[in-house]
Amino acid sequence: VRVIGTGRAGSAIAARLAERGLEVRAGREPLADSDLLLLAVPDGAIAEVARSITPGPWVAHDLARPR
């Protein structure tokens, strides 16, 4: 799993997935060899980040909203 976004949400999600035994890499750029890319970026950045992803892996977006 590649978590794209190193802010509060991305870091927390990456840590929880790793605690559960998944191989997780967090950072700011997509990696071509990942099976799942989780976009933990601001809503306004989704389109730009999505355009930079080579077709192939599953892509999901963190839908958490700040309170």
Side-chain angles (χ1 to χ4, degrees):
V1 177
R2 173 66 166 185
V3 178
I4 302 171
T6 56
R8 289 182 299 199
S11 297
I13 292 168
R16 297 303 83 74
L17 292 172
E19 285 176 359
R20 285 155 180 79
L22 292 171
E23 181 182 338
V24 179
R25 293 177 282 173
R28 296 178 183 264
E29 301 296 327
L31 294 177
D33 64 343
S34 298
D35 294 324
L36 171 64
L37 301 176
L38 176 60
L39 307 183
V41 298
D43 289 348
I46 295 170
E48 179 183 345
V49 173
R51 279 192 293 274
S52 72
I53 297 171
T54 302
W58 284 78
V59 178
H61 178 250
D62 160 37
L63 298 175
R65 298 282 180 241
R67 296 174 212 227

